[in-house]
């Protein structure tokens, strides 16, 4: 097995035994990037100088990620290193400070290889909304990697980094992880600091890891979770050692399959693959029952009010004054504002700003925004009630496997790629996507496990068990 | 359904200049998204309290003490235009 195909825990063993040095690991990954990046295009920028500086400072460190080459989604602030958010608006923006997760990874010894591609301001499900370029799915380069963390998922799948961070507002970690055949974890809202994450929809955004297996996901979660006084929505409590949950045991675990989700018309191969995986968990001792939740369509509808509303407010800061792009048409202040935003934002971002502004505008606030927030209560309570009796809920991560680049043109059609992932953000609960199989085109299928607030442990335990049973996780892309 | 006039009104609120073609596209696209979102009306939300944040949280307060913040040089480093250690913006008031 090549170094670039290995996991964090495999590489760590080799480093600990002295079989390989951190320098050699980074070199192996940069070689891999040299070989495949022109095809996959996972990155917006590579940070070789930063990686070398981090390697130089590593010698005295015994961090849990010591020498691990990682990628950061380009909406996670890195001091002095371009953080573009996939937008022309921030094309030249170098943050004056690090995100909390950036510091945490660095303190754990991680080596930053680059900033990964994404849909502009994390708005999208295919990474095609990036201002810079498309990213290609490493399993088949004609296909999209999913999004918005498509660069992070593709980089991990292609072996360009051993792990990466993404952000998930409505599925932006899990859906690309599903399309790229890797593991993506969206933690409970409030368990990972959002300080330094460029804001999209503040009540939904959450940072999480994209890794090659469930063990690495637990290792990354150990590094990034925790209270942060810089983020007032960060929950102040003790967080467990997530690796304690890496046990092959689902005996007596109660799993619910939401009828309203499986009733949606979606890809048959995906459905069969997910149900076959669930059957294996049942064979291993889990108790599986059909359960009922408010239809996912309502969560999606609420999402497309709440997320754009919050985005329209968060993105008001891009005015061409303090940082970011400024139009040359700046004869007066109002013209400068409107031209800057016209030229600096791409079509999907403008669409969502318009939608959100409309939903918040006088006369529509009650009908749309307030209504959506009430529906949010219904959806959250639905999950809360189910989790009184069930440990986990399982669904597909996405209704299909990856679609072709350029295939989806209609915004509403694209939004439906997130039908199974969006309710999780609306309720603020944690969920993982792990590979469950491959379709007849050879594209990966993702399975989603959802748990109660701060129920990451059981999710990891069930995911770890399923990963061992299915044993498909060692399959790597051919590039 | 929303009208082209609505689109122009909202664009103005959002400080967005739109090209003619964009106005057309957005009228249609945002209209169909709004139609979809109208689904929410099917759910009875009488007596339901709205949720803004899903994890129970009270006001988060800290002592009102001065702390170190970004220095002027770092703060201005990304400014599109600056002068004498200040952000420079186009004039806001006209001559008359």
């Amino acid at each position: 097995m090549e170094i670039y195909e290995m996991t964090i825990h495999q590489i760590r063993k080799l480093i600990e035994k002295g079989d390989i040095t951190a320098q050699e690991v980074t070199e192996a990954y940069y070689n891999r990037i040299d070989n495949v990046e022109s095809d996959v295009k996972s990155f917006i920028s590579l940070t070789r100088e930063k990686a070398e500086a981090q390697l130089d400072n590593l010698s005295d460190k015994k961090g849990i990620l010591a020498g691990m080459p990682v990628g950061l989604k380009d909406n996670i602030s890195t001091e002095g290193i371009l953080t573009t958010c996939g937008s022309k608006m921030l094309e030249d923006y170098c943050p004056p400070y690090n995100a909390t997760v950036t510091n945490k990874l660095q303190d754990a010894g991680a080596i930053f290889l680059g900033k990964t591609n994404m849909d502009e301001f994390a708005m999208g499900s295919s990474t095609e909304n990036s201002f810079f370029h498309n990213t290609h799915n490493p399993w088949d380069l004609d296909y999209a990697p999913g999004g918005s963390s498509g660069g992070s998922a593709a980089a991990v799948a292609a072996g360009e980094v051993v792990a990466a961070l993404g952000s998930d507002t409505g599925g932006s970690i899990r859906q690309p992880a599903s399309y790229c055949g890797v593991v993506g974890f969206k933690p409970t809202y409030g368990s990972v600091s959002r300080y330094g994450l460029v804001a999209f929809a503040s009540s939904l955004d959450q940072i999480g890891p994209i890794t090659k297996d469930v063990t690495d996901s637990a290792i990354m979660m150990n590094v990034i979770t925790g209270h942060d006084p810089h983020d007032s929505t960060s929950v102040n409590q003790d967080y467990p050692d997530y690796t304690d949950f890496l046990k092959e045991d689902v005996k007596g675990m109660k799993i619910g399959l939401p009828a309203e989700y499986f009733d949606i018309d979606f890809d048959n191969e995906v459905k069969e693959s997910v149900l076959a995986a669930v059957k294996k968990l049942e064979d291993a001792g889990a108790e599986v029952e059909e359960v009922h939740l408010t239809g996912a369509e309502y969560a999606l509808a609420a999402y497309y009010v709440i997320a754009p509303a919050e985005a329209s407010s968060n993105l008001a800061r891009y005015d061409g004054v303090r940082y970011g792009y400024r139009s040359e048409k700046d004869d007066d202040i109002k013209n400068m504002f409107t031209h800057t935003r016209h030229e600096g934002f791409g079509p999907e971002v403008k669409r969502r700003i318009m939608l959100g502004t409309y939903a918040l505008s006088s006369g529509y606030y009650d009908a749309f925004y307030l209504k959506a927030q009430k529906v949010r209560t219904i959806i959250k309570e639905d999950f809360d009630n189910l989790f009184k009796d069930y440990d986990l809920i399982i669904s597909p991560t996405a209704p299909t496997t990856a679609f072709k680049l350029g295939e989806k043109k209609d915004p509403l059609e694209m939004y439906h790629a997130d039908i199974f992932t969006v309710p999780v953000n609306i309720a603020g609960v944690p969920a993982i996507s792990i590979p469950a199989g491959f379709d007849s085109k050879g594209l990966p299928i993702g399975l989603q496990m959802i748990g109660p607030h701060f129920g990451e442990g059981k999710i990891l335990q069930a995911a770890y068990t399923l990963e061992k049973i299915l044993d498909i996780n060692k399959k790597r892309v051919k590039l | 359904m929303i009208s082209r006039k609505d689109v122009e009104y909202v664009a103005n609120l959002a400080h967005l200049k739109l090209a003619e073609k964009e106005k057309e596209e957005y009228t249609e696209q945002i209209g169909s998204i709004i139609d979809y979102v109208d689904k929410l009306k099917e759910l009875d939300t009488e007596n339901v309290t709205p949720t803004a944040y899903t994890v129970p949280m009270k006001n988060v307060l800290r002592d009102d003490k001065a702390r170190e913040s970004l220095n002027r040089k770092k703060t201005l480093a990304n400014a599109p235009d600056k002068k004498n250690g200040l952000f420079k913006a186009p004039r806001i008031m006209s001559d008359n």
Side-chain angles (χ1 to χ4, degrees):
Chain A
M1 191 185 247
E2 302 287 342
I3 295 168
Y4 63 76
E5 294 178 310
M6 292 180 185
T7 60
I8 292 173
H9 56 99
Q10 286 169 332
I11 294 174
R12 200 168 62 196
K13 269 195 198 131
L14 292 182
I15 292 181
E16 278 169 2
K17 278 203 296 183
D19 288 353
I20 191 171
T21 64
Q23 278 77 7
E24 287 166 337
V25 174
T26 296
E27 211 170 296
Y29 275 86
Y30 267 128
N31 280 339
R32 176 68 171 168
I33 289 172
D34 288 341
N35 288 332
V36 303
E37 177 60 9
S38 57
D39 290 331
V40 182
K41 295 171 91 70
S42 306
F43 293 96
I44 290 175
S45 52
L46 292 169
T47 52
R48 276 179 208 251
E49 277 174 31
K50 176 72 179 171
E52 274 160 29
Q54 284 174 322
L55 277 170
D56 288 344
N57 291 327
L58 195 65
S59 51
D60 52 333
K61 274 189 188 161
K62 283 270 170 256
I64 192 151
L65 296 178
M68 297 302 154
V70 302
L72 298 173
K73 187 175 181 178
D74 211 20
N75 58 354
I76 295 172
S77 297
T78 42
E79 186 176 347
I81 293 173
L82 275 183
T83 300
T84 69
C85 238
S87 181
K88 180 179 179 182
M89 192 60 97
L90 293 175
E91 193 178 2
D92 300 315
Y93 174 67
C94 287
Y97 63 93
N98 275 337
T100 297
V101 292
T102 304
N103 283 331
K104 279 176 179 272
L105 286 185
Q106 189 159 269
D107 290 347
I111 310 295
F112 300 153
L113 299 197
K115 304 296 294 286
T116 58
N117 199 16
M118 56 184 286
D119 286 301
E120 183 178 5
F121 284 100
M123 297 176 189
S125 309
S126 68
T127 312
E128 290 166 295
N129 294 335
S130 168
F131 168 67
F132 299 96
H133 50 76
N134 284 346
T135 294
H136 299 258
N137 192 313
W139 294 93
D140 186 331
L141 298 172
D142 292 338
Y143 285 78
S148 66
S149 313
S152 287
V156 173
E160 296 180 290
V161 291
V162 68
L165 290 185
S167 67
D168 190 316
T169 305
S172 280
I173 288 172
R174 291 159 287 154
Q175 185 256 23
S178 168
Y179 285 8
C180 291
V182 290
V183 175
F185 205 133
K186 201 278 307 176
T188 306
Y189 183 83
S191 56
V192 178
S193 170
R194 293 183 295 109
Y195 181 69
L197 172 70
V198 181
F200 161 15
S202 305
S203 81
L204 301 158
D205 297 341
Q206 192 63 187
I207 294 170
I210 296 177
T211 56
K212 290 174 187 162
D213 70 3
V214 176
T215 301
D216 281 3
S217 191
I219 292 169
M220 291 289 281
M221 286 286 287
N222 274 353
V223 175
I224 61 173
T225 53
H227 176 244
D228 177 14
H230 285 119
D231 172 4
S232 59
T233 61
S234 159
V235 177
N236 194 353
Q237 61 167 43
D238 289 333
Y239 292 85
D241 178 346
Y242 295 104
T243 59
D244 287 348
F245 295 95
L246 301 173
K247 292 179 281 202
E248 255 188 278
D249 180 15
V250 288
K251 276 189 201 72
M253 216 182 255
K254 294 199 73 180
I255 295 172
L257 298 182
E260 292 76 7
Y261 288 27
F262 283 89
D263 282 348
I264 293 172
D265 185 24
F266 66 95
D267 189 291
N268 229 357
E269 286 185 275
V270 171
K271 188 182 275 185
E272 279 169 17
S273 184
V274 168
L275 290 175
V278 169
K279 183 74 179 56
K280 293 202 165 142
L281 285 173
E282 204 171 8
D283 292 344
E287 294 170 29
V288 180
E289 283 171 25
E290 186 180 271
V291 296
H292 294 280
L293 275 170
T294 305
E297 295 277 355
Y298 296 105
L300 195 64
Y303 179 85
Y304 276 100
V305 175
I306 294 168
E310 292 185 13
S312 73
S313 166
N314 273 328
L315 271 59
R317 72 190 65 177
Y318 299 101
D319 58 4
V321 175
R322 289 149 302 160
Y323 48 83
Y325 177 81
R326 178 189 288 189
S327 170
E328 283 170 11
K329 298 190 183 99
D330 60 354
D331 48 325
D332 78 59
I333 193 97
K334 173 86 196 223
N335 264 342
M336 192 278 276
F337 289 156
T338 56
H339 281 96
T340 291
R341 291 162 66 77
H342 170 67
E343 294 160 23
F345 290 136
E348 181 62 24
V349 173
K350 281 188 240 184
R351 191 148 46 232
R352 297 213 197 175
I353 290 174
M354 295 280 293
L355 191 57
T357 306
Y358 178 80
L360 290 173
S361 66
S362 168
Y364 298 101
Y365 180 89
D366 284 4
F368 290 105
Y369 188 66
L370 194 64
K371 180 79 185 179
Q373 285 205 312
K374 287 179 176 181
V375 169
R376 186 172 196 179
T377 305
I378 294 175
I379 289 159
K380 179 186 171 289
E381 286 178 352
D382 248 17
F383 277 103
D384 288 348
N385 285 329
L386 267 189
F387 286 126
K388 284 177 191 156
D389 299 317
Y390 295 88
D391 296 303
L392 290 178
I393 293 165
I394 289 182
S395 79
T397 307
T400 63
T401 53
F403 48 85
K404 277 197 171 153
L405 286 162
E407 184 182 306
K408 288 196 196 221
K409 301 257 188 281
D410 174 53
L412 254 181
E413 193 194 340
M414 186 72 92
Y415 296 171
H416 271 84
D418 295 327
I419 185 94
F420 296 127
T421 48
V422 151
V424 168
N425 301 74
I426 293 289
V429 291
I432 201 168
S433 174
I434 66 165
F438 293 85
D439 71 3
S440 47
K441 288 178 280 192
L443 295 169
I445 293 168
L447 175 146
Q448 176 174 244
M449 293 178 175
I450 310 167
H453 288 110
F454 304 105
E456 277 82 353
K458 281 232 170 101
I459 294 177
L460 286 164
Q461 187 171 332
Y464 180 80
T465 306
L466 185 58
E467 183 180 84
K468 292 280 175 207
I469 296 172
L470 293 176
D471 197 32
I472 51 170
N473 146 281
K474 289 174 190 73
K475 192 166 169 184
R476 297 280 185 264
V477 300
K478 304 246 183 306
L479 277 171
Chain B
M1 274 296 290
I2 63 168
S3 67
R4 188 188 167 94
K5 233 180 146 183
D6 291 331
V7 165
E8 284 170 355
Y9 170 71
V10 171
N12 183 49
L13 288 179
H15 280 189
L16 275 174
K17 185 188 149 50
L18 295 183
E20 288 305 308
K21 194 169 158 269
E22 285 177 309
K23 286 180 192 169
E24 235 167 77
E25 272 174 22
Y26 286 157
T27 304
E28 192 202 316
Q29 290 169 342
I30 294 172
S32 69
I33 298 167
I34 296 284
D35 288 347
Y36 176 73
V37 161
D38 241 17
K39 256 184 138 15
L40 293 174
K41 296 206 174 103
E42 294 165 19
L43 291 181
D44 179 11
T45 52
E46 187 93 30
N47 305 320
V48 176
T49 321
T51 295
Y53 281 98
T54 50
V55 175
M57 246 178 284
K58 294 198 186 102
N59 287 332
V60 180
L61 304 172
R62 62 173 168 78
D63 292 338
D64 185 18
K65 273 194 282 195
R67 292 181 301 182
E68 208 185 323
S69 59
L70 289 179
N71 63 38
R72 186 178 289 236
K73 191 169 169 247
K74 273 188 162 186
T75 306
L76 287 167
N78 282 289
D81 199 4
K82 57 194 161 190
K83 196 177 179 184
N84 302 332
L86 300 166
F87 293 108
K88 191 174 174 226
R91 66 161 54 214
I92 289 165
M93 283 185 290
S94 61
D95 288 330
N96 37 15

